[in-house]
Amino acid sequence: MRILAAGDHFVGTGLLADAVRAEIGAGHELSELTLPWPVEPFGPVANVHEASGTEEQVIEALAGAEVAVTQMAPFTKQVFAAAPGLKLVSVCRGGPVNVDLAAATEAGVAVTYAPGRNAGAAAEFAVGMILAAMRRISTSSAELLGGTWRGDYYAYDQAGLELDGTTVGLVGYGAIGARVAKVLVAFGAKVLVSDPFADPAKIAADGAERVELDDLLRRSFVVSLHARLTEETRHLIDAAKLALLPKGAVLVNTARGGLLDYSPLPEALRSGRLGALALDVYDVEPPPADWALRDAPNVIATPHLAGASRQTAERAANIVAAEVGRYVRGEALANLANPEVLRP
């Protein structure tokens, strides 16, 4: 069997290949392709989102392959048409956004993904962003390094707030949101959750309270976004929703840029409607040179790093390798994105 390991500079090609070899042993031919992400930003390729590299690169590397493991390679209708022997694409991401699922199903190709692969890293990062925003950790550091000693931040009306006793609202309660909730509860925060698909019993068992979104926004001094981006959740937090927040509230987004309508944010910060904004994801990545939030007050911005841990890369490689092992042994795939491909 020929297997393509199409890695990048995070989930490396060698990491993928080694994980597959450890799972299925010798006797299979592995070909390799290294894509430029994250040295170069990802973007849309044909009709798939967040891919790296070109269709032509993938088609050439796929010659004769039955299985492909990747994080970012674009698997489009054109790619599937050019690889008639392909039977499995295993994507080491939380969702196969770099794959045209309809084209895969039409071509008879099973597509798997890696839920939870970055849950630990992303949850830690989100809590770090919350703390940095509430206590001015990054902004005061930048000011000090720039030569300004902000002793006034110790004044009562300028001092930050502790998580202990603060109400924090989590919008979305998947693997990441649930981990964030447990950490916040341990800090002593009151945690509210808005997620129509989450299990109310699990939320309660984690020490949180399930509420509707508008109620969460009205009651929460800190709001952290953890929802998936769909047509229903695009611009879920817009100007009308921002107006529900308590004055001076903190908003954190480490999930998907499209969950936020960015246009009202600069004015919300300047007016004090928002006390601080912490972002790791954006509507356009990277943000343009004339990005309106560059000179807005109390903004923390990081370059889409929430899931960037070595353990995430290793875990992702092991998850997709395990799916290759199941395929080789004829076992049921664990995380199949297009189960209809198996129907007669």
Side-chain angles (χ1 to χ4, degrees):
M1 180 188 303
R2 188 161 185 262
I3 301 166
L4 171 63
D8 49 57
H9 297 284
F10 178 51
V11 183
T13 302
L15 193 64
L16 285 171
D18 288 348
V20 170
R21 289 189 187 101
E23 178 69 29
I24 64 175
H28 302 277
E29 180 186 356
L30 264 78
S31 58
E32 299 183 355
L33 171 66
T34 298
L35 302 164
W37 187 82
V39 176
E40 297 178 11
F42 59 65
V45 177
N47 65 321
V48 301
H49 306 288
E50 297 187 11
S52 177
T54 67
E55 292 171 300
E56 291 74 20
Q57 285 177 301
V58 177
I59 289 169
E60 181 180 355
L62 273 173
E66 184 175 338
V67 171
V69 292
T70 190
Q71 175 172 234
M72 285 285 186
F75 279 85
T76 64
K77 189 176 183 68
Q78 180 178 337
V79 170
F80 288 118
L86 191 62
K87 298 300 178 187
L88 171 68
V89 175
S90 193
V91 177
C92 50
R93 304 181 69 184
V97 294
N98 54 316
V99 179
D100 182 336
L101 281 179
T105 303
E106 184 180 347
V109 180
V111 178
T112 68
Y113 61 105
R117 52 117 197 195
N118 66 351
E124 289 179 1
F125 199 93
V127 173
M129 292 287 261
I130 291 170
L131 290 168
M134 292 180 71
R135 302 296 302 277
R136 291 197 178 96
I137 294 170
S138 60
T139 51
S140 61
S141 173
E143 288 174 315
L144 178 60
L145 293 173
T148 302
W149 178 273
R150 292 299 302 268
D152 58 310
Y153 283 161
Y154 220 107
Y156 178 84
D157 60 352
Q158 293 289 326
L161 294 176
E162 300 174 9
L163 273 172
D164 189 10
T166 295
T167 299
V168 181
L170 304 181
V171 181
Y173 206 71
I176 297 168
R179 283 181 180 239
V180 171
K182 291 176 182 178
V183 175
L184 295 177
V185 168
F187 267 105
K190 165 71 174 176
V191 179
L192 306 179
V193 173
S194 174
D195 187 331
F197 305 105
D199 179 1
K202 173 173 171 47
I203 293 172
D206 290 342
E209 177 188 352
R210 182 176 178 177
V211 297
E212 295 300 317
L213 178 60
D214 285 3
D215 189 25
L216 179 148
L217 295 173
R218 291 189 182 99
R219 296 169 58 189
S220 300
F221 183 76
V222 179
V223 173
S224 185
L225 306 184
H226 301 282
R228 281 205 171 277
L229 181 61
T230 66
E231 287 308 310
E232 290 72 28
T233 61
R234 184 171 296 279
H235 288 185
L236 181 67
I237 306 300
D238 57 13
K241 297 298 186 187
L242 287 172
L244 299 176
L245 290 168
K247 187 174 177 61
V250 172
L251 180 61
V252 177
N253 187 12
T254 57
R256 287 292 181 216
L259 295 171
L260 269 178
D261 178 359
Y262 279 66
S263 58
L265 295 176
E267 178 55 31
L269 287 159
R270 292 190 180 96
S271 70
R273 162 56 57 193
L274 274 183
L277 176 68
L279 301 172
D280 187 52
V281 289
Y282 309 91
D283 48 356
V284 176
E285 295 190 1
D290 61 350
W291 190 44
L293 285 168
R294 287 192 191 278
D295 60 356
N298 301 323
V299 176
I300 301 169
T302 53
H304 206 144
L305 292 177
S309 73
R310 294 182 183 181
Q311 292 94 329
T312 291
E314 293 162 1
R315 194 177 299 118
N318 290 332
I319 290 172
V320 296
E323 293 284 45
V324 175
R326 294 182 188 100
Y327 173 79
V328 169
R329 294 187 297 269
E331 300 170 1
L333 298 170
N335 302 300
L336 188 58
N338 58 337
E340 60 271 24
V341 77
L342 302 179
R343 296 172 189 153

